[in-house]
Amino acid sequence: MANVIFKDVHKSFGSFVALEKLDLDIRDGEFVALLGPSGCGKSTTLRMLAGLDFPTSGEISIGGRVVNDLAPGKRDIAMVFQSYALYPHMTVGENIGYPLKKRGIKGAARAEAVQKAADLLQLGALLDRKPKQLSGGQQQRVALGRALVREPQVFLLDEPLSNLDAKLRSYMRAELIELHRRLGKTMVYVTHDQLEAMTMASRIAVMHGGHVQQFDTPDAIYNRPANRFVAGFIGTPPMNQVEGTVEGGDFVIAGHRVPIDRTAYSADLHDGPAVLGVRPEAISIGSGEGLPATVRLAENTGHETIVTLELPDKRRISARVEAARRLDVGQPVALRLDPAAIHLFEATENGARLNLDDTPASVIPMRST
Amino acid sequence: MTAIATDPPRSAVSSPLERAYARLGVLLIAPTILVFTLVIVYPLLAAIYLSVFSIYTPTLQGGFVGADNYVELLTGKAFWNSLRVTLIWTVGTLTLQIVAGVGLALLLHQNIWFRSLARSLVLFPYFLSTVVAVLVWKWLFNDLYGALNHGLMQLGIIDMPLDWLGSMPNAMIGVILVGAWKYFPFVVIAVLARLQTIPENLYEAARIDGAGPIARFWDITLPQLRSVLTVIILLRAIWDFKEFDLLYLLTGGGPVTSTQTLSLLVYQEAFGLNQMGQAAAYSVGMMLVMLVFMVLYIRQTKEKA
């Protein structure tokens, strides 16, 4: 059993509060991504789990054992660093074998374990090379090899793919998913790249301002964002958020009425100011009836076109249409929003979502900063 | 680049612009070459020339003696005794400099509260004039009123004051200590500069891999310091090997010739015994020994480049 639990963990550096009331329950064998923008506290969370930083208060446990006072080497974890942190004066083989050497595993046993890890990562032919003789992708694999050679309970990965080029990154993403499936070990993966989090993780903790905004499956994070931050952070382009007013069965944007289904929202939804959220793909562009808008920009990416539209009150939103669709800049259009795909949020800076379908596992309102 | 490689030899087809650049280049390095020739090449050739004469220093008069001076160098005791003394001094003081220098650099690399003050203070011996340093140390070592003897007697380590600079092996220990004190700051600065460039996450990775503080020193710090230590050791070895002022002022080579290094021997021969020719032969001998260090140093720096 190697579940990881953060219980009421706080961390401050001097007067700066990096993390506040962090509660996370990561199950055995799970692949969890900590996702958020720079400075959200995700790396601090990982470093505390590794034992490289210490919580100001609260409790961290791995496999039922509280590790607050345990040295990193005694936590039965392995970590892959963003910069790989390979020992430059050691060969690939010595790098991979180092954790075993420090655990007193000698001779044939060590060589065999190193060979096994190297074979798994296709590094067999490179064992005698020095790190600087390797490409970025090979160095990355050596760092992985060093992590998995001693079969730790938990793998910690700190933006391990961010120094690779786009092609190699997508290749390594697939490798990591495969590796996780094969090893079945708990993995905690820090990233600021939503694509990595969405494709690799079984659950994602979206972090912002030292708080976990939502801890849920990629599907729930995308389709049922707990609040405006998560809605705006996930998706490329992100979910459109338009401020307006709820009036009976309609949401009013700049004097124009967009029909909504009142029964789909919680009792907290009252007539008055609110924020409408809609994904770019849930907007259909036509003519005649609908919310009037003007085409301002059409970006064809090859398989789709992202259209930037201007509403009558000059606010801009984006929509996703098929690549073949021809739209001219300046062309007036009418937008229709699928009522089933409309999210409503409280009209505050990081307002909570008011739809009834959501049961976010861990929703903490954002600290006002 | 490939275009140049496949071209005929450059001199044959060099353009006027290239020739102008070449002339400018020669012009720019000419002053250096000139000064270098005057102060290095000429004295070197002069020393080799002098070494085959017997010359009385005050008059610079004398006759050609062929290899006599070198025969004296090889068969006499003076050169070999001084070479032995020089090696003991160099190895002794260099070892202390390296151990103290690396140790203090490691300490100053830690987050200690007096770090910036200590970093400035540690340079003090290196900046101090040798004459001043020697005066202070002579006072400390003095057998009648020296602070060192006083302290040791207070602590009950010795019963009677020791003659620090007038007897062996105390005199050698004394000069080695003062040499180490004077020159270890150089090691501290060079090592500290290197320590600051070792990525912190190497240490973090090692901690996660289960390495304790001592293992981290041997497995990360020391290998990372290897190249800078090699250069420091070679440079300091060259400098210590030819050290003159500190030894001359502290013991003058004594007692008798117990701390007379090669530099002091050359000086004694040239200006004490007024035998400039023999002194020149000794200095040529000394230069040949130093050539070993120089070749090592050049090889090392080439490897790095």
Side-chain angles (χ1 to χ4, degrees):
Chain A
M1 273 297 284
N3 58 334
V4 171
I5 296 171
F6 285 79
K7 208 158 105 192
D8 199 15
V9 171
H10 292 248
K11 175 68 183 175
S12 21
F13 297 98
S15 60
F16 174 73
V17 180
L19 285 168
E20 219 178 325
K21 201 176 168 354
L22 177 74
D23 287 292
L24 276 179
D25 188 345
I26 298 167
R27 295 188 283 262
D28 182 36
E30 205 173 11
F31 192 132
V32 165
L34 306 180
L35 174 69
S38 302
C40 70
K42 57 191 191 297
S43 285
T44 306
T45 306
L46 195 76
R47 290 175 59 85
M48 288 195 301
L49 183 54
L52 299 172
D53 277 335
F54 297 96
T56 311
S57 68
E59 203 176 87
I60 301 170
S61 59
I62 300 173
R65 182 173 62 145
V66 176
V67 295
N68 284 38
D69 298 322
L70 275 187
K74 295 202 165 27
R75 294 187 177 199
D76 205 4
I77 46 136
M79 183 157 167
V80 177
F81 291 80
Q82 181 175 357
S83 61
Y84 316 139
L86 300 178
Y87 308 123
H89 51 281
M90 296 185 199
T91 62
V92 168
E94 286 164 348
N95 261 288
I96 297 177
Y98 188 73
L100 299 179
K101 188 177 162 191
K102 289 298 120 188
R103 276 164 182 73
I105 297 164
K106 294 195 176 80
R110 188 161 88 210
E112 196 180 315
V114 169
Q115 193 63 49
K116 204 174 127 197
D119 290 343
L120 187 68
L121 297 162
Q122 294 145 34
L123 290 168
L126 305 173
L127 285 177
D128 294 325
R129 299 247 191 113
K130 291 275 176 70
K132 68 175 174 194
Q133 297 170 294
L134 305 179
S135 68
Q138 289 167 334
Q139 290 187 19
Q140 165 61 252
R141 291 213 298 274
V142 177
L144 272 173
R146 189 174 64 184
L148 58 86
V149 70
R150 56 169 226 253
E151 300 173 358
Q153 285 197 73
V154 182
F155 285 91
L156 312 180
L157 303 107
D158 188 4
E159 311 223 13
L161 306 185
S162 58
N163 286 356
L164 303 178
D165 62 51
K167 198 174 161 193
L168 200 53
R169 201 180 307 169
S170 86
Y171 173 75
M172 285 306 295
R173 227 166 38 216
E175 292 271 286
L176 277 174
I177 296 170
E178 171 66 21
L179 196 67
H180 175 247
R181 198 186 53 74
R182 208 177 327 172
L183 299 175
K185 292 289 175 80
T186 311
M187 289 191 178
V188 184
Y189 187 103
V190 161
T191 181
H192 64 268
D193 183 337
Q194 50 167 304
L195 183 68
E196 282 175 18
M198 295 293 283
T199 53
M200 296 164 80
S202 36
R203 278 197 296 167
I204 302 173
V206 181
M207 298 181 74
H208 178 54
H211 290 271
V212 173
Q213 303 293 325
Q214 186 171 1
F215 184 34
D216 216 326
T217 60
D219 173 65
I221 297 269
Y222 190 82
N223 293 310
R224 299 189 294 280
N227 54 39
R228 290 183 63 186
F229 174 80
V230 178
F233 191 73
I234 303 289
T236 320
M239 182 185 285
N240 296 295
Q241 297 184 28
V242 186
E243 282 157 17
T245 346
V246 176
E247 284 179 29
D250 294 321
F251 188 85
V252 182
I253 302 168
H256 298 272
R257 308 184 85 83
V258 175
I260 53 170
D261 175 10
R262 280 294 287 249
T263 60
Y265 303 96
S266 83
D268 288 342
L269 181 68
H270 307 290
D271 276 10
V275 174
L276 177 144
V278 62
R279 293 262 174 220
E281 56 269 28
I283 299 176
S284 53
I285 301 176
S287 52
E289 281 289 296
L291 181 62
T294 316
V295 175
R296 283 291 166 225
L297 185 67
E299 297 163 284
N300 188 338
T301 63
H303 70 287
E304 64 181 17
T305 296
I306 305 294
V307 189
T308 303
L309 300 152
E310 193 173 273
L311 299 178
D313 58 1
K314 303 291 178 199
R315 277 182 296 188
R316 290 187 171 200
I317 61 172
S318 48
R320 194 190 301 268
V321 296
E322 65 275 24
R325 181 81 179 273
R326 258 197 71 84
L327 287 162
D328 297 321
V329 172
Q331 179 183 339
V333 290
L335 309 179
R336 268 181 293 274
L337 279 48
D338 176 5
I342 289 178
H343 307 257
L344 288 178
F345 299 94
E346 289 170 351
T348 54
E349 192 195 338
N350 188 25
R353 185 166 173 267
L354 297 166
N355 299 46
L356 275 178
D357 56 9
D358 53 355
T359 46
S362 161
V363 183
I364 298 153
M366 190 182 123
R367 189 165 43 120
S368 53
T369 43
Chain B
M1 288 310 283
T2 48
I4 291 168
T6 53
D7 278 346
R10 270 170 126 192
S11 55
V13 291
S14 62
S15 67
L17 188 63
E18 271 180 291
R19 280 199 296 275
Y21 276 141
R23 270 200 301 278
L24 180 68
V26 170
L27 213 65
L28 288 174
I29 59 166
T32 312
I33 298 279
L34 194 73
V35 172
F36 188 80
T37 309
L38 281 176
V39 303
I40 310 257
V41 179
Y42 171 71
L44 186 71
L45 295 176
I48 295 169
Y49 176 75
L50 287 176
S51 68
V52 292
F53 289 84
S54 172
I55 292 173
Y56 183 58
T57 308
T59 59
L60 287 181
Q61 301 294 314
F64 180 74
V65 294
D68 281 7
N69 288 332
Y70 289 100
V71 173
E72 169 60 25
L73 180 153
L74 291 171
T75 55
K77 278 186 187 160
F79 181 82
W80 300 111
N81 174 61
S82 281
L83 181 60
R84 189 181 57 86
V85 168
T86 310
L87 289 176
I88 293 172
W89 142 259
T90 304
V91 171
T93 196
L94 184 59
T95 310
L96 274 185
Q97 283 168 33
I98 297 295
V99 171
V102 173
L104 212 69
L106 287 172
L107 188 68
L108 292 180
H109 189 54
Q110 304 300 312
N111 255 330
I112 44 178
W113 62 271
F114 57 90
R115 182 164 75 169
S116 39
L117 178 70
R119 278 186 184 176
S120 328
L121 280 181
V122 84
L123 284 174
F124 181 69
Y126 198 60
F127 288 153
L128 205 62
S129 150
T130 309
V131 179
V132 179
V134 167
L135 277 176
V136 172
W137 277 98
K138 270 194 150 171
W139 176 77
L140 287 170
F141 279 136
N142 192 286
D143 48 351
L144 292 177
Y145 50 81
L148 190 63
N149 276 332
H150 181 73
L152 290 175
M153 281 168 72
Q154 289 275 307
L155 290 171
I157 296 170
I158 53 173
D159 298 327
M160 295 280 287
L162 286 179
D163 183 7
W164 277 101
L165 298 172
S167 69
M168 283 297 279
N170 297 358
M172 183 55 89
I173 294 171
V175 290
I176 284 175
L177 279 177
V178 178
W181 175 82
K182 180 94 179 71
Y183 296 117
F184 87 96
F186 177 80
V187 182
V188 174
I189 295 305
V191 170
L192 194 56
R194 180 70 184 92
L195 280 177
Q196 285 165 351
T197 66
I198 303 176
E200 184 57 32
N201 60 24
L202 287 185
Y203 291 105
E204 291 177 346
R207 280 167 66 193
I208 288 173
D209 287 344
I214 295 167
R216 292 201 293 275
F217 174 77
W218 288 106
D219 294 340
I220 296 177
T221 310
L222 211 55
Q224 291 281 302
L225 290 180
R226 211 182 78 112
S227 59
V228 75
L229 277 180
T230 314
V231 172
I232 294 174
I233 288 171
L234 283 170
L235 273 180
R236 283 270 19 128
I238 292 170
W239 293 339
D240 289 335
F241 192 83
K242 62 192 179 74
E243 179 71 30
F244 176 78
D245 48 2
L246 191 137
L247 292 151
Y248 183 74
L249 292 165
L250 207 54
T251 63
V256 196
T257 56
S258 316
T259 57
Q260 191 181 51
T261 58
L262 286 169
S263 298
L264 268 67
L265 173 69
V266 172
Y267 179 83
Q268 169 71 9
E269 199 67 31
F271 303 106
L273 303 176
N274 285 326
Q275 293 299 321
M276 191 56 98
Q278 185 63 56
Y282 285 150
S283 62
V284 171
M286 188 180 166
M287 193 188 71
L288 290 177
V289 179
M290 285 191 62
L291 218 56
V292 178
F293 294 114
M294 271 176 52
V295 168
L296 284 176
Y297 176 74
I298 290 168
R299 269 201 192 165
Q300 176 65 26
T301 43
K302 254 192 193 160
E303 255 173 47
K304 274 183 84 184

